[in-house]
Amino acid sequence: MTLPPVHTLCLCSGLTLFVVAVTYFFPGKIFMYFLSLTVGATIVNWITIIVTHLKFKAYCRKAGKTTKFPSLWYPAADYFCLAFLCFIVLMMTQMPDMLTAVLIMPVWLAILWCCWRRLAPAPMMTHTMQKP
């Protein structure tokens, strides 16, 4: 028997209640602020994924390994995606309601980096890729 994810349901319900309350008490631009923060977080996540993919493929090439699932148009597709995401950030700077999120992004990334530096485990000395 599986139990429902009570903690997750409570967190999602609590966040929904918070957003509805904020939207009710502060109508107007609050939806745009939430939207801009969501878009900013999504852009940060995708940039992280793309940079990680580029580094992973470079590591595989250096180690002489091939991946099971080759990516189409690597690395051009990765760089195209990075350029597109930068274009989205540039467009966000042109919208006054989204400018706050763009300005907060570097601060948020600096906070994340500081936390990572403080809490990350010591790096492994060697890492070898095993054949499947």
Side-chain angles (χ1 to χ4, degrees), residues 96-112:
D97 292 339
M98 290 195 161
L99 184 60
T100 304
V102 174
L103 297 175
I104 290 174
M105 256 192 269
V107 175
W108 176 245
L109 290 174
I111 291 169
L112 288 177

Side-chain angles (χ1 to χ4, degrees), residues 2-129:
T2 14
L3 297 174
V6 176
H7 297 294
T8 304
L9 291 172
C10 289
L11 177 66
C12 289
S13 298
L15 287 175
T16 302
L17 178 65
F18 171 74
V19 170
V20 169
V22 168
T23 304
Y24 178 77
F25 290 113
F26 305 104
K29 295 184 177 186
I30 199 72
F31 177 75
M32 198 62 170
Y33 290 142
F34 281 135
L35 180 66
S36 64
L37 289 174
T38 304
V39 170
T42 304
I43 288 172
V44 168
N45 288 338
W46 274 107
I47 288 174
T48 303
I49 290 168
I50 294 167
V51 170
T52 301
H53 182 254
L54 285 167
K55 289 183 177 235
F56 171 73
K57 292 294 268 189
Y59 173 80
C60 288
R61 185 180 316 137
K62 184 178 175 184
K65 309 289 183 186
T66 58
T67 57
K68 218 178 219 186
F69 303 101
S71 57
L72 297 175
W73 305 301
Y74 166 80
D78 290 337
Y79 290 120
F80 176 77
C81 289
L82 284 174
F84 182 72
L85 291 172
C86 290
F87 175 73
I88 291 173
V89 171
L90 179 68
M91 290 295 100
M92 286 175 68
T93 63
Q94 305 306 309
M95 300 177 203
D97 292 339
M98 290 195 161
L99 184 60
T100 304
V102 174
L103 297 175
I104 290 174
M105 256 192 269
V107 175
W108 176 245
L109 290 174
I111 291 169
L112 288 177
W113 183 80
C114 289
C115 289
W116 176 76
R117 293 290 294 169
R118 176 140 170 81
L119 302 174
M124 294 177 14
M125 296 305 285
T126 59
H127 178 72
T128 58
M129 194 172 182

